[in-house]
Amino acid sequence: MAVAERVEVEPSIADLLAARPALAMHAQDGLCFEGIPLNAIADEFGTPTWVYGAATMRARFKALADSFTAVGLHPHIHYAVKANDHLAVLSVLRAAGAGADVVSLGEFLRAQKAGVPARDIVFSGVGKSQAELTATLTAGIGQINVESAEELTILSGIAASLGKTANIVLRMNPDVDAGTHAKITTGLADNKFGIAAQEIVSLYSHAASLPGINPVGIALHIGSQITSPAPYATAYAKAANMVRALRDAGQTVSTLDLGGGIGIGYYDEPGMPLAAFATMVRNSVGDLGVNLLLEPGRYLVAPAGMLLASVILQKQSGKRFVVLDAAMNDLLRPALYESYHGILPISPVDFQHPASPADVVGPVCETGDTFATDRPLPNLAPGARVALLDAGAYGAVMSSPYNARPRAAAVLLDGGQAHLISPRQTHQDLWAHEIIPG
Ligand code: LLP
């Protein structure tokens, strides 16, 4: 992601590979992910194709859980479905022990479909519609993260009329700068998210008096792709003070939802140090005697996914352009946030060749359709394949059929096999639900 992540020296192809244990370059088979040659996947399923590794997701889930166990904490991990909502991905994480954090009825229904029970789902978001609140309450949702006094009133009315009780937490806006990209920072007073700290105590006691509402605690989420514990420490200290203030005011507080945002290394840097993060959580909120919740998305799935693409052609016009068959409609992050994604050649021969700067672009009719500028890459002939790394989070979920480009296929590697989990869209699929009047 621009700013916060920019490093001085761009990593070489070898540096990118060395930083990613699930990837290996084999002299015969080329680039392998979780032991499976990516060339074989491209041969079988074509390109562009999303490739997700189940073992990597499980390993990351376990690493996160273990880092907390090591400091004597056992937060419940609610996977943020928005990062990658594929049913197959949800079911891998559910089997590992995850609940779900959702922001829409669609995500709620996906999580349920993948086997997450409603009671293990939390619903965040600044604008939940009445239909969404009604449907999730009826299904028995575990927790609703309320983001305004106005929403609380609406929710109380709906819950009372359904004869249900909504377990709610109030999402506090801690007014902390997460130091990340402006488009994904959420914990500043000016951001649309949450409730100002000074309003929480009175709103909580109001909530306790409302029909159909059971306030159980508070939540906060300060942003995404945060790679240092420091901004969290500031925010969680405020949250701890808030829990104490609520208890001093006679309220019962049993839940603290710590949000998501744990960042990864998109270059060859390590990303959030988990042991330091868990220690910081213990030091800030470990003595409160509350149930802790975490809502990680990116951390669990980003490094577990990549976008496989083929080179359509290389053109030389002033500079060298490598034109791929994948584009901004598939992986939007570079166009939207100027975010960095590592790009690796898949063939062992390409991998050995000397690298020189190239712009890597897609076929879409916009200059923003650029994956990388001046990226050191070898000469890549038409048909050569590349992997765009760390695309397992906010990749496929943010793709669109812009330029009438069918959605890419998706494959899950699991148990030493490649399973097709979404077939490539056909052109007919693109207009299958369109109606010409008359
Ligand atoms: N909880 C809440 C309330 C959130 O708003 C988010 C992300 C998460 C959890 C999960 O955050 P994570 O652990 O994945 O950082 N499209 C952007 C990221 C947007 C994140 C929005 N909220 C990107 O591609 O970087």
Side-chain angles (χ1 to χ4, degrees):
M1 185 124 337
V3 204
E5 265 180 46
R6 263 299 159 211
V7 289
E8 288 299 313
V9 183
E10 224 176 81
S12 69
I13 287 174
D15 295 336
L16 289 171
L17 189 59
R20 289 162 177 80
L23 283 174
M25 179 53 78
H26 287 261
Q28 301 299 319
D29 293 339
L31 190 65
C32 295
F33 183 41
E34 296 192 355
I36 297 184
L38 293 169
N39 260 325
I41 293 172
D43 287 345
E44 184 170 356
F45 303 106
T47 58
T49 289
W50 303 98
V51 183
Y52 305 130
T56 304
M57 290 176 206
R58 292 187 192 108
R60 298 185 72 81
F61 186 92
K62 183 171 183 318
L64 183 60
D66 286 355
S67 69
F68 280 94
T69 308
V71 298
L73 295 179
H74 305 281
H76 192 45
I77 297 175
H78 287 259
Y79 167 60
V81 172
K82 71 189 77 173
N84 186 325
D85 66 9
H86 199 291
L87 294 180
V89 169
L90 295 175
S91 103
V92 167
L93 290 169
R94 174 63 189 165
D101 164 52
V102 305
V103 289
S104 68
L105 180 59
E107 287 189 355
F108 178 84
L109 295 173
R110 274 183 173 277
Q112 274 197 314
K113 180 86 185 157
V116 186
R119 64 169 186 285
D120 211 3
I121 303 179
V122 305
F123 191 0
S124 314
V126 71
K128 309 173 194 78
S129 73
Q130 302 214 10
E132 290 179 311
L133 292 171
T134 303
T136 53
L137 272 176
T138 305
I141 189 162
Q143 174 182 306
I144 297 180
N145 295 8
V146 169
E147 299 223 11
S148 62
E150 294 79 356
E151 180 176 55
L152 190 61
T153 308
I154 294 169
L155 179 60
S156 170
I158 294 171
S161 73
L162 292 172
K164 299 267 182 192
T165 300
N167 294 320
I168 66 121
V169 300
L170 294 182
R171 176 167 173 182
M172 158 176 139
N173 183 325
D175 196 15
V176 166
D177 186 355
T180 181
H181 191 283
K183 284 188 184 165
I184 56 169
T185 200
T186 50
L188 285 170
D190 278 356
N191 297 147
K192 69 181 176 182
F193 299 98
I195 299 160
Q198 60 273 19
E199 291 165 24
I200 295 278
V201 175
S202 68
L203 194 61
Y204 202 97
S205 87
H206 176 58
S209 74
L210 287 175
I213 299 289
N214 176 33
V216 296
I218 58 172
L220 67 168
H221 171 79
I222 59 174
S224 195
Q225 182 51 14
I226 304 166
T227 51
S228 152
Y232 283 109
T234 311
Y236 292 169
K238 293 188 180 189
N241 285 339
M242 186 60 71
V243 170
R244 291 187 193 101
L246 285 165
R247 286 177 173 163
D248 287 348
Q251 301 300 336
T252 304
V253 180
S254 59
T255 294
L256 176 55
D257 182 339
L258 298 168
I262 303 173
I264 66 151
Y266 277 99
Y267 296 81
D268 57 348
E269 79 284 24
M272 177 69 84
L274 286 188
F277 180 74
T279 302
M280 174 277 299
V281 170
R282 186 199 55 202
N283 293 343
S284 341
V285 302
D287 63 345
L288 293 173
V290 287
N291 300 319
L292 295 175
L293 268 57
L294 283 174
E295 301 172 353
R298 184 189 323 263
Y299 176 80
L300 296 175
V301 294
M306 62 185 60
L307 179 60
L308 268 187
S310 298
V311 174
I312 293 179
L313 52 82
Q314 270 192 143
K315 65 176 272 190
Q316 195 73 41
S317 56
K319 55 199 311 198
R320 174 162 74 113
F321 290 94
V322 176
V323 186
L324 301 181
D325 63 356
M328 65 185 286
N329 73 295
D330 300 299
L331 179 61
L332 181 63
R333 302 189 70 255
L336 194 57
Y337 315 115
E338 290 164 49
S339 56
Y340 175 96
H341 285 266
I343 301 177
L344 290 181
I346 285 171
S347 132
V349 178
D350 291 341
F351 196 81
Q352 295 303 335
H353 282 153
S356 64
D359 283 13
V360 182
V361 301
V364 161
C365 57
E366 296 197 23
T367 307
D369 184 23
T370 298
F371 290 121
T373 310
D374 295 328
R375 184 66 62 87
L377 282 172
N379 185 49
L380 292 165
R385 287 156 178 169
V386 296
L388 289 96
L389 306 179
D390 307 311
Y394 307 111
V397 282
M398 289 171 66
S399 67
S400 77
Y402 186 38
N403 278 204
R405 292 170 47 84
R407 281 176 200 270
V411 167
L412 180 74
L413 310 183
D414 198 4
Q417 288 196 324
H419 308 266
L420 181 66
I421 56 170
S422 291
R424 184 176 312 288
Q425 264 193 336
T426 64
H427 286 108
Q428 288 70 26
D429 290 338
L430 291 175
W431 53 80
H433 300 288
E434 293 180 12
I435 296 162
I436 302 174

